[in-house]
Amino acid sequence: MSYAFLPLHVLHTARLGPTMTRVTFGGERVDECASGGFDQRLKLFLPLPGQERPVVPVDDPDWFTAWRALDPSIRSIMRTYTVRAQRPGELDVDFALHGETGPASHWASKARPGDQVTIFAPLTADNSGVDFRPPPTATRILLAGDETALPAIGGILESLPADVSTETWIEVPDPADRQELPSTPIHWLTRTNNEHLTEALPAASITVPDYAWIAGESSTVKALRRHLVQTLGMDRRTVTFTGYWRKGDTEEDLLAEVAAGRTPHTEE
Ligand SMILES: Cc1cc2nc3c(=O)[nH]c(=O)nc-3n(C[C@H](O)[C@H](O)[C@H](O)COP(=O)(O)OP(=O)(O)OC[C@H]3O[C@@H](n4cnc5c(N)ncnc54)[C@H](O)[C@@H]3O)c2cc1C
């Protein structure tokens, strides 16, 4: 199997802004995670309240069915996150903090050194958890997303070769959530200033890119994709778009749709 459940623990945390915290994980097996860079996703398993470590299935080719088959009263909470960075012995995940209702947001806001989690992680860098796949000829790339996509955008910008030019649009809750990123131009939009991707990007006169990558709240992602394909005339095959979350729905709600045969993260 090219993925495995790896037990990790929190080494330290760092507040990156009012609504973002970085959790650095370590553990004996942390270096087995082979991030492909860019927007590498992983599954994060968190303990239920009162548990010391998350209950996960044993490695199983059909791990998702095995996880769902666990008794819900002990089954861990599963969420999807991005590998923001990886160094020998350390792996960073940046969590958007959106209050207490989301178990992952709540967990991250309280995370302390030693807290235990499990990740379901790729063991080879060439893996299906990297969605950023521009055509090899693409030299002009557009990136757009909200704070949940900011870790992936940071990873993409750091992984791209220098001869590729990028234009990046990021909507964050607060001006202090802006981060240093290794590329320009970055158009920062802040919700406290009533700036929104769905209005600002379509209103801007942008050069049509060779490839676009969009992620964030589902309805925003759909609206931006529609603008790129229908208004700017981009070939739909050159736009990668992923709903990272959907207003009013938990990740369990979205997974229930997957289990029912629909794909909420990529649906039109
Ligand atoms: C491929 C992929 C990569 C991702 N990478 C990251 C990442 O690196 N960092 C990151 O922070 N998130 C990332 N996300 C998004 C994250 O998985 C979701 O935000 C997730 O729902 C958070 O879980 P939760 O337990 O906090 O909230 P849930 O229990 O899933 O949801 C509880 C409630 O909060 C709402 N909600 C969920 N997220 C947000 C939010 N950000 N702002 C406001 N309301 C919200 C839901 O609609 C729901 O009503 C990624 C998602 C995908 C699919």
Side-chain angles (χ1 to χ4, degrees):
M1 202 161 77
S2 55
Y3 286 79
F5 288 99
L6 305 176
L8 303 184
H9 57 267
V10 175
L11 293 176
H12 47 86
T13 65
R15 198 65 179 230
L16 304 180
T19 72
M20 182 74 88
T21 200
R22 173 163 298 162
V23 180
T24 300
F25 295 101
E28 267 179 36
R29 298 184 62 190
V30 67
D31 293 336
E32 288 181 45
C33 173
S35 172
F38 298 98
D39 57 346
Q40 176 72 61
R41 68 175 71 196
L42 53 70
K43 293 289 180 196
L44 175 70
F45 295 85
L46 301 169
L48 293 178
Q51 290 176 336
E52 207 173 314
R53 61 177 65 86
V55 175
V56 296
V58 287
D59 281 332
D60 183 321
D62 192 2
W63 65 270
F64 183 58
T65 305
W67 175 77
R68 279 173 65 86
L70 291 171
D71 178 348
S73 68
I74 57 154
R75 181 176 65 204
S76 53
I77 292 149
M78 177 174 74
R79 293 289 182 267
T80 310
Y81 279 86
T82 304
V83 179
R84 175 63 186 88
Q86 202 181 355
R87 299 167 298 281
E90 298 189 346
L91 185 152
D92 294 336
V93 176
D94 291 355
F95 293 79
L97 304 177
H98 59 91
E100 302 291 300
T101 50
S105 167
H106 177 71
W107 178 89
S109 70
K110 303 260 183 297
R112 295 283 173 274
D115 287 355
Q116 301 189 50
V117 304
T118 296
I119 58 171
F120 187 65
L123 304 178
T124 54
D126 182 11
N127 65 74
S128 60
V130 175
D131 291 329
F132 181 86
R133 305 268 175 191
T137 51
T139 56
R140 286 195 320 270
I141 291 180
L142 177 83
L143 304 172
D146 65 14
E147 64 273 26
T148 63
L150 180 49
I153 289 174
I156 290 168
L157 291 175
E158 286 167 11
S159 305
L160 276 175
D163 60 347
V164 172
S165 74
T166 53
E167 174 165 355
T168 305
W169 292 75
I170 309 175
E171 179 185 310
V172 289
D174 189 279
D177 286 315
R178 289 178 291 199
Q179 298 179 9
E180 285 294 321
L181 292 173
S183 181
T184 52
I186 311 270
H187 305 282
W188 289 100
L189 306 168
T190 56
R191 257 171 253 140
T192 46
N193 292 335
N194 208 21
E195 297 164 337
H196 302 282
L197 274 171
T198 45
E199 290 156 18
L201 206 155
S205 69
I206 60 166
T207 309
V208 179
D210 303 319
Y211 174 74
W213 178 99
I214 320 164
E217 199 284 321
S218 281
S219 60
T220 299
V221 167
K222 281 184 205 164
L224 295 182
R225 183 200 185 229
R226 209 175 301 126
H227 174 69
L228 295 177
V229 172
Q230 292 178 8
T231 311
L232 297 187
M234 285 186 73
D235 180 334
R236 59 184 59 234
R237 289 169 301 183
T238 62
V239 182
T240 297
F241 64 108
T242 314
Y244 272 13
W245 61 285
R246 194 162 70 194
K247 237 171 233 160
D249 289 319
T250 67
E251 193 161 327
E252 277 90 23
D253 297 330
L254 302 176
L255 286 173
E257 293 185 17
V258 173
R262 299 196 297 278
T263 53
H265 286 148
T266 52
E267 234 172 335
E268 176 84 61

